[in-house]
Amino acid sequence: MEGCQMILFEAYDDAGTFITSDNPSFHHVSMVEKENSNGFIFPITPKHLLFIGKGDTDSIDIVDHRFADHSTIQHFNKIV
């Protein structure tokens, strides 16, 4: 049985915003194939993004909280 890893990213105040339906973008760049970023990406708000990917079997009920800087936000916005 495989587990999953859940990471909630919260943007620093001066780092920018995640692309969401509140903050739409129509520029499409498919970085998933290029960087093999396997997982589910859910931009919840312009300040919060949830990433769910493969992880340890014991980590399915744990949500890791991390702060996102400008480069992290750019990385996920390119995938979205």
Side-chain angles (χ1 to χ4, degrees), residues 7-41:
I7 303 170
L8 177 65
F9 287 97
E10 181 177 343
Y12 284 114
D13 289 334
D14 61 348
T17 57
F18 293 108
I19 295 172
T20 65
S21 60
D22 295 340
N23 180 26
S25 173
F26 300 98
H27 179 73
H28 175 72
V29 177
S30 180
M31 297 299 285
V32 176
E33 293 84 4
K34 180 179 176 186
E35 297 183 9
N36 195 20
S37 299
N38 296 324
F40 297 100
I41 299 168

Side-chain angles (χ1 to χ4, degrees), residues 4 7 14 20 55 69 73 79:
C4 70
I7 303 170
D14 61 348
T20 65
D69 60 10
I73 291 172
I79 293 171

